[in-house]
Amino acid sequence: IIVSVDTPDNSSRLLRRAMSSGDAVRLYDVVFVLGPPGSGKGTQCARIQENLGFVHLSAGDLLRAERQRAGSEFGELIETHIKNGSIVPVEITCKLLENAMIASGTAAKGFLIDGFPRNQNNLDGWVREMGAKTKVHFVLYLSAELEICVDRCLNRGQGRTDDNVESIQKRITTYNNQTFPIIQHYEQLGLVREIKCGTKTPDQVYAEVAQVFGNAGL
Ligand SMILES: Nc1ncnc2c1ncn2[C@@H]1O[C@H](COP(=O)(O)OP(=O)(O)OP(=O)(O)O)[C@@H](O)[C@H]1O
Ligand SMILES: Nc1ccn([C@H]2C[C@H](O)[C@@H](COP(=O)(O)O)O2)c(=O)n1
Ligand SMILES: [Mg+2]
């Protein structure tokens, strides 16, 4: 039950009453969005944000912005991980996500967290820091054949330092070894909503995405 919007920093839209304890507990509504590099996570999140009122937070975008921020003590470390396709320690990423959630103001229906949690360290850190403040409704898993994903990354044209063959191969290895097990973890909890999107157009994928959100009452 949504009972209020007032939080100490006036930033969270949803304040729900914990029916069991009677205590007021703040819960951010969250959908994680995972899938291989180039599967279309950012593309679909932009549409969900526009049409369904969720705020899109890309962990990769937040890390790239932090890398560029003058005076950041993490810039070099982030760049090294991005180039190597490895995963930045969760303390950094989780703090960036939480700050962005707080900064997003009061209008969000919920948060689409794109590209997170990407490994066990991400998941453990999230549970530790954000578990009690969030409700993860489901994991939107955008799957696609890896050859298609590689082509899309190489043709993305956004000047990303990791859209080259060497970095993409490393990102895919990390995805297979570290991220896929996280998807399997959520699958075991019955929380994965997979959309097979390799050969579908963005419009076709979005039609299925909208259905998933509709089915979840979001
Ligand atoms: N269904 C689709 N069909 C064809 N091209 C697509 C489709 N979805 C996205 N693209 C294109 O593929 C590229 C990668 O898409 P996008 O950036 O959304 O992927 P991503 O999953 O966020 O990737 P990353 O994990 O590397 O951030 C972009 O150039 C995008 O325009
Ligand atoms: N949870 C995350 C998300 C991203 N990164 C780093 C490493 C990724 O290869 C890179 C790009 O992410 P993308 O934009 O493709 O989602 O950012 C990370 O370390 N941890
Ligand atoms: Mg992306």
Side-chain angles (χ1 to χ4, degrees):
I1 300 172
I2 299 169
V3 291
S4 169
V5 293
D6 68 326
T7 60
D9 53 14
N10 198 28
S11 63
S12 170
R13 177 171 177 270
L14 300 182
L15 180 62
R16 293 161 184 265
R17 188 176 300 282
M19 302 303 288
S20 54
S21 66
D23 293 337
V25 175
R26 283 171 209 103
L27 284 181
Y28 290 102
D29 289 286
V30 164
V31 171
F32 289 138
V33 184
L34 292 173
S39 58
K41 299 181 294 296
T43 302
Q44 294 303 321
C45 285
R47 290 172 178 229
I48 300 165
Q49 175 164 270
E50 194 176 324
N51 296 321
L52 301 181
F54 277 73
V55 168
H56 172 208
L57 299 178
S58 155
D61 286 350
L62 289 168
L63 288 165
R64 282 183 283 274
E66 177 65 18
R67 177 187 60 183
Q68 296 307 118
R69 189 174 64 81
S72 169
E73 58 183 306
F74 304 120
E76 257 182 56
L77 178 119
I78 291 171
E79 176 57 14
T80 303
H81 281 288
I82 286 180
K83 273 216 161 139
N84 290 333
S86 51
I87 305 301
V88 172
V90 69
E91 289 74 15
I92 299 173
T93 313
C94 202
K95 188 40 87 181
L96 291 172
L97 284 168
E98 186 175 11
N99 288 348
M101 289 166 82
I102 291 167
S104 75
T106 58
K109 185 173 180 183
F111 295 91
L112 292 169
I113 304 196
D114 162 4
F116 185 97
R118 212 61 162 242
N119 65 4
Q120 192 64 44
N121 171 259
N122 273 191
L123 178 56
D124 292 344
W126 175 269
V127 170
R128 199 169 53 239
E129 297 300 323
M130 302 298 285
K133 305 176 201 171
T134 52
K135 173 175 169 56
V136 177
H137 287 263
F138 57 88
V139 174
L140 181 64
Y141 168 34
L142 301 181
S143 64
E145 294 74 8
L146 294 178
E147 304 75 40
I148 294 176
C149 292
V150 172
D151 276 354
R152 287 188 188 166
C153 289
L154 288 175
N155 293 309
R156 177 158 33 195
Q158 289 178 357
R160 280 177 51 160
T161 58
D162 57 351
D163 276 348
N164 56 75
V165 172
E166 199 184 335
S167 291
I168 293 168
Q169 274 169 357
K170 290 177 178 169
R171 286 156 65 197
I172 287 176
T173 300
T174 300
Y175 171 77
N176 285 333
N177 294 341
Q178 299 187 40
T179 309
F180 194 66
I182 302 301
I183 296 170
Q184 289 176 314
H185 161 77
Y186 280 110
E187 181 75 59
Q188 279 168 6
L189 299 177
L191 286 177
V192 171
R193 307 289 177 268
E194 178 179 0
I195 297 177
K196 296 182 175 145
C197 35
T199 55
K200 294 172 189 156
T201 65
D203 282 350
Q204 288 171 326
V205 176
Y206 183 72
E208 294 187 32
V209 166
Q211 231 169 16
V212 166
F213 278 77
N215 290 343
L218 294 173

